[in-house]
């Protein structure tokens, strides 16, 4: 279902990175308890059948809606989680001491920063390690995996990048971010 689709999209996004071979990243050891870890939580979307119905309607030349594509805010109105779901995640994050909380435009993703100790405890993230690039960039990954906290079960479907492969270079990481940001801005202007 939805989780498989999101997971597949994430795999497609990072598979090129994983296949790229050796990287310039060095294992910096266990993450210090106070090390900041930036995470994005994918909240469970609603009304996906309705979104699919609208997709087919705008794609069908016989439909009155043909060609009337939805804007990003219109899509968000259809699929955004219930406000109570995002509020529950915000309350949970506040209890853990999260900072830099950001709700994405589609309202189905929340990004936040937590201390490594809080990440390890909340997500049962084992073998939380810091990787350092030659240019000074640091990324944290949970080599032993992680789980969704019970309190967020049914609300959060994915947490990334805890298990993502490391990018080949920080330039690649920045380029990927720039491409995603540009696509988002283009959609906002439509």
């Amino acid at each position: 279902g939805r989780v498989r689709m999101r997971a597949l999209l994430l795999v497609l996004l990072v598979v090129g990175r994983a296949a790229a071979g050796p990287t310039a990243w060095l294992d910096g050891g266990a993450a210090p308890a106070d090390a900041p870890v930036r995470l994005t939580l994918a909240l469970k979307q609603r009304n996906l059948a309705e979104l699919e119905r609208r997709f087919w309607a705008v794609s069908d030349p016989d439909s009155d809606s043909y060609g009337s594509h939805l804007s990003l805010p219109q899509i968000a109105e259809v699929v955004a989680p219930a406000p109570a779901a995002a509020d529950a995640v915000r309350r949970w994050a506040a209890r853990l001491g999260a900072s830099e909380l950001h709700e994405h435009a589609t309202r189905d993703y929340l990004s936040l920063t937590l201390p490594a100790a809080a990440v390890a405890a909340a997500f049962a993230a084992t073998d939380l390690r810091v990787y350092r690039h030659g240019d000074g960039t640091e990324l944290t990954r949970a080599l032993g995996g992680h789980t969704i906290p019970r309190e967020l079960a049914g609300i959060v479907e994915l947490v990334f990048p805890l298990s993502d492969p490391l990018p080949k270079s920080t330039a690649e990481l920045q380029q990927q971010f720039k491409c995603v940001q540009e696509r988002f801005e283009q959609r906002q202007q439509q």
Side-chain angles (χ1 to χ4, degrees):
R2 287 186 302 264
V3 173
R4 283 189 195 145
M5 179 57 77
R6 279 190 173 176
L8 177 60
L9 290 172
L10 287 173
V11 167
L12 291 173
L13 176 67
V14 299
V15 75
R17 290 188 247 165
T23 68
W25 296 93
L26 298 175
D27 185 345
D34 62 346
V37 179
R38 186 77 179 155
L39 301 174
T40 298
L41 288 70
L43 282 62
K44 185 176 181 180
Q45 297 172 318
R46 299 182 300 163
N47 307 318
L48 293 177
E50 173 62 16
L51 181 64
E52 183 176 4
R53 184 194 68 72
R54 291 185 187 192
F55 166 81
W56 289 113
V58 302
S59 303
D60 180 358
D62 294 330
S63 169
D64 291 338
S65 300
Y66 180 65
S68 299
H69 301 285
L70 299 177
S71 66
L72 187 58
Q74 289 170 318
I75 292 171
E77 282 303 315
V78 175
V79 300
D87 289 344
V89 174
R90 281 190 204 88
R91 285 190 305 274
W92 170 86
R95 281 195 302 277
L96 293 179
S99 62
E100 302 175 40
L101 189 64
H102 170 72
E103 182 177 74
H104 296 242
T106 53
R107 301 191 320 254
D108 56 350
Y109 290 96
L110 288 173
S111 294
L112 53 91
T113 301
L114 287 169
V119 171
F123 294 97
T126 57
D127 201 10
L128 202 59
R129 306 197 63 81
V130 173
Y131 289 87
R132 292 185 179 92
H133 193 272
D135 68 4
T137 302
E138 292 186 358
L139 298 176
T140 304
R141 296 295 188 264
L143 296 186
H146 66 280
T147 60
I148 304 288
R150 176 175 290 180
E151 186 176 350
L152 302 180
I155 298 172
V156 172
E157 293 184 314
L158 290 173
V159 177
F160 54 95
L162 278 181
S163 299
D164 286 0
L166 294 169
K168 185 175 179 181
S169 68
T170 56
E172 178 185 351
L173 183 66
Q174 291 166 348
Q175 181 61 33
Q176 289 173 351
F177 176 76
K178 183 179 176 185
C179 287
V180 169
Q181 187 175 24
E182 286 172 356
R183 279 184 267 161
F184 173 76
E185 289 170 359
Q186 288 170 354
R187 289 182 186 152
Q188 288 289 71
Q189 293 172 359
Q190 294 177 356

